[in-house]
């Protein structure tokens, strides 16, 4: 079994460069299905979710060529397969974007029920409601290997109001609607940076999408989309993870290749805690300085521009290193505290206050000295939190199930080592 072996005790210092955004890449790669000529995708992170998405596209008939470490040429004009039942589909949440892209281009798709990190129920009703309002019929077969089917003779623009803000549904409906006849309006749309990135990509291809990044997105259908060269945005959550790691170890470092605006919900909390932040807008970098004491705060996750749910586990560790008692409330997912028992192995003082489902919250008593532990990653971001926790101890720790972490963190060992961490991958 592969594990990370980490010897903690040193503040993280130096600099780290942020890779392309996972959540953009896994939507933009299937979006190439909508183009009538090849696309060049730049700033693509080398992570297993991205590799899996490329493999799925290749099995569907596309040609994928790696031009350099972060650049790929994707020719999806040769995609013929619309029955997408490959094993990679069931392991990844983002495979639901194949539904929107195939529906938009081929007017039919049968896709294995997507998998991914488990935080309780992960419904797709809003995606299906959106497809229906564009004129498509859908069905979901039951059982272990459930398949989602969508098809239509033609797509016609529609109006979709989302009672819950959903990133996945907003992006999937955009994919299905770009080539529909007439205009589609998505109300209460998600405003995450990757929603805007997908809209920018599609607009460069010739789409007509207005309002991405606001809660009303208007899509006027076009007949054709052409291939483009496009560079995806830096990863907001990867940047936030390294900022939090540097702060939790009382280090100081420069986080490079970021878009400062995307990080506001994260660094504003660091500032509230008394951690020094300075932004260099000319160089697209941010400096975190946590060499002095910092104090606890309250954090509630929410859709963008609220505090991201994907930063919640990493902030638990940061609060454990702060002075005072911090509170974490999770308001996006029903059950995203499964990892807490793993962090408690380090001696972290975390109490789950049970109320009911989404109203549960964590009380984190800071300032306790942590000890080395054998932890098991329970999902991608919880795995990142365990790395940070291990770095905050004075001892040796191991983390297993590292495949979760490799789904979303590019060159994770190399980047932490560049910051002075003692971390290695071992075969146990
Ligand atoms: C969510 C996060 C995203 C993060 C990702 C992985 C938000 C708003 N979204 O995106 O930033 O990168 O998790 O951790 O923070 N929902 C429905 N019906 C649907 C779809 C979703 O009710 O059809 C609900 C979900 O149960 C959840 C909420 O909407 O409570 C947000 O889900 P959604 O944004 O779709 O999830 P992701 O796209 O995975």
């Amino acid at each position: 079994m592969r594990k990370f072996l980490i010897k903690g005790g040193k503040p993280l210092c130096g600099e780290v460069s942020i890779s392309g955004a996972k959540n953009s890449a896994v939507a933009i790669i299937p979006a190439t299905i909508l183009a009538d000529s090849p696309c060049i995708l730049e700033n693509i992170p080398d992570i297993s979710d991205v590799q899996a998405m490329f493999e799925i596209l290749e099995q569907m008939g596309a040609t994928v060529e790696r031009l350099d470490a972060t650049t790929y040429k994707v020719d999806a004009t040769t995609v013929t397969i619309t029955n997408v039942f490959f094993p990679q589909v069931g392991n990844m949440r983002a495979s639901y974007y194949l539904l929107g892209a195939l529906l938009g281009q081929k007017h039919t798709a049968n896709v294995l029920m997507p998998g991914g990190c488990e935080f309780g129920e992960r419904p797709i009703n809003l995606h299906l409601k959106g497809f229906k309002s564009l004129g498509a019929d859908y069905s979901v077969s039951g059982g272990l290997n459930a398949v989602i089917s969508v098809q239509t003779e033609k797509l016609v623009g529609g109006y979709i109001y989302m009672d819950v803000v959903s990133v996945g549904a907003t992006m999937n409906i955009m994919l299905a609607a770009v080539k529909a006849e007439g205009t589609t309006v998505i109300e209460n749309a998600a405003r995450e940076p990757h929603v805007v990135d997908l809209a920018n990509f599609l607009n460069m291809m010739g789409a007509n999408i207005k309002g991405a990044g606001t809660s009303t997105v208007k899509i006027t259908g076009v007949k054709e989309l052409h291939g483009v060269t496009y560079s995806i945005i830096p990863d907001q959550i990867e940047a936030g993870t390294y900022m939090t790691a540097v702060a939790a170890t009382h280090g100081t470092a420069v986080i490079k290749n970021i878009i400062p605006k995307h990080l506001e919900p994260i660094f504003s909390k660091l500032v509230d805690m008394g951690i020094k932040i300075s932004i260099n807008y000319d160089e697209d970098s941010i400096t975190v300085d946590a060499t002095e004491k910092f104090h606890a705060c309250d954090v509630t996750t929410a859709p963008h521009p609220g505090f991201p749910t994907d930063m919640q586990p990493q902030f638990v560790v940061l609060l454990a290193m702060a002075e005072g008692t911090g509170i974490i409330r999770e308001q996006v997912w029903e059950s995203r505290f499964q990892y807490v028992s793993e962090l408690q192995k380090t001696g972290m003082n975390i109490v789950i206050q049970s109320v009911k489902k989404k109203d549960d919250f964590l009380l984190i008593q800071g300032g306790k000295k942590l000890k080395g532990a054998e932890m098991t990653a329970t999902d991608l971001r919880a795995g990142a939190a365990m790395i940070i926790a291990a770095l905050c101890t004075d001892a040796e720790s191991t983390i297993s199930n590292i495949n979760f972490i490799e789904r979303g963190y590019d060159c994770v060992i190399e980047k932490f080592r560049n910051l002075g961490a003692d971390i290695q991958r071992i075969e146990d």
Side-chain angles (χ1 to χ4, degrees):
M1 189 204 290
R2 292 176 323 122
K3 289 183 177 180
F4 286 155
L5 174 66
I6 298 169
K7 289 179 195 145
K10 277 193 281 178
L12 295 184
C13 295
E15 56 181 48
V16 60
S17 185
I18 298 307
S19 301
K22 162 186 169 287
N23 289 337
S24 284
V26 293
I28 285 175
I29 295 166
T32 59
I33 292 173
L34 291 156
D36 60 12
S37 49
C39 292
I40 310 270
L41 303 181
E42 298 172 341
N43 203 29
I44 297 291
D46 193 2
I47 53 177
S48 61
D49 267 13
V50 159
Q51 290 312 325
M53 192 57 94
F54 279 136
E55 283 165 26
I56 294 170
L57 236 58
E58 282 181 317
Q59 291 173 90
M60 292 167 69
T63 313
V64 179
E65 194 186 338
R66 192 171 193 169
L67 303 180
D68 64 36
T70 57
T71 310
Y72 292 78
K73 181 176 179 185
V74 185
D75 183 355
T77 57
T78 46
V79 163
T80 48
I81 306 248
T82 56
N83 291 339
V84 194
F85 305 141
F86 315 115
Q88 293 94 332
V89 178
N91 294 331
M92 192 186 2
R93 196 73 203 150
S95 48
Y96 53 37
Y97 293 126
L98 294 163
L99 285 167
L102 282 173
L103 185 62
Q105 180 70 356
K106 309 270 186 200
H107 291 182
T108 181
N110 300 294
V111 177
L112 204 61
M113 186 63 89
C117 294
E118 280 312 325
F119 324 125
E121 207 195 341
R122 297 193 74 167
I124 55 158
N125 59 308
L126 294 170
H127 304 234
L128 299 176
K129 177 180 161 185
F131 298 150
K132 189 162 184 232
S133 68
L134 299 172
D137 292 322
Y138 67 81
S139 61
V140 183
S141 74
L144 247 188
N145 290 315
V147 171
I148 309 162
S149 302
V150 282
Q151 61 278 311
T152 186
E153 287 282 308
K154 69 170 184 177
L155 290 161
V156 182
Y159 174 88
I160 301 111
Y161 170 76
M162 296 205 270
D163 54 347
V164 179
V165 177
S166 162
V167 177
T170 303
M171 289 164 78
N172 227 346
I173 297 164
M174 271 167 39
L175 291 169
V178 270
K179 286 179 141 183
E181 233 177 76
T183 301
T184 300
V185 174
I186 311 175
E187 270 302 348
N188 203 23
R191 293 176 281 167
E192 265 67 0
H194 33 295
V195 174
V196 181
D197 209 25
L198 176 63
N200 287 344
F201 174 65
L202 293 169
N203 280 343
M204 265 184 84
M205 290 163 84
N208 183 350
I209 304 174
K210 294 197 172 113
T214 76
S215 53
T216 307
V217 178
K218 186 173 133 191
I219 305 145
T220 307
V222 295
K223 286 217 157 57
E224 280 170 15
L225 295 176
H226 54 82
V228 288
T229 297
Y230 189 80
S231 182
I232 68 162
I233 54 169
D235 197 303
Q236 174 205 32
I237 304 301
E238 190 199 12
T241 300
Y242 285 106
M243 285 161 68
T244 309
V246 169
T249 59
H250 287 279
T252 178
V254 183
I255 319 292
K256 294 164 65 179
N257 185 35
I258 50 124
I259 296 178
K261 183 85 192 150
H262 295 171
L263 298 177
E264 268 171 8
I266 303 167
F267 70 65
S268 66
K269 278 291 162 196
L270 297 178
V271 171
D272 288 350
M273 295 172 77
I275 294 161
K276 290 195 197 100
I277 294 291
S278 55
I279 301 163
N280 187 331
Y281 288 95
D282 290 336
E283 303 211 333
D284 292 326
S285 70
I286 192 162
T287 303
V288 179
D289 180 350
T291 46
E292 285 170 26
K293 285 181 180 172
F294 53 85
H295 52 83
C297 69
D298 292 2
V299 177
T300 302
T301 68
H304 192 76
F307 186 86
T309 175
D310 277 359
M311 283 302 304
Q312 182 252 96
Q314 302 90 311
F315 252 62
V316 169
V317 182
L318 182 63
L319 290 174
M321 303 313 292
E323 293 195 333
T325 304
I327 296 180
I328 297 257
R329 289 190 180 82
E330 172 61 51
Q331 293 289 304
V332 176
W333 296 110
E334 265 179 13
S335 135
R336 205 174 178 174
F337 294 144
Q338 306 96 317
Y339 63 88
V340 165
S341 55
E342 292 300 311
L343 290 183
Q344 282 167 333
K345 291 179 182 170
T346 63
M348 222 176 263
N349 189 342
I350 315 171
V351 177
I352 302 183
Q353 296 286 330
S354 280
V355 188
K356 59 174 170 59
K357 286 193 168 175
K358 264 191 187 172
D359 295 333
D360 287 0
F361 63 93
L362 301 182
L363 279 177
I364 302 121
Q365 180 62 56
K368 200 167 171 218
K369 196 168 156 40
L370 305 185
K371 57 180 196 285
E374 289 183 13
M375 292 174 275
T376 303
T378 49
D379 66 69
L380 166 62
R381 306 304 173 185
M386 287 170 210
I387 296 180
I388 304 173
L391 292 169
C392 291
T393 73
D394 281 338
E396 205 170 89
S397 297
T398 58
I399 302 172
S400 51
N401 268 1
I402 60 172
N403 53 311
F404 275 124
I405 302 169
E406 290 167 345
R407 286 186 43 202
Y409 287 94
D410 189 3
C411 297
V412 65
I413 295 261
E414 293 76 3
K415 290 190 187 190
F416 272 112
R417 275 191 190 154
N418 278 348
L419 290 167
D422 186 340
I423 173 170
Q424 52 181 300
R425 211 178 263 112
I426 54 165
E427 277 293 337
D428 196 20

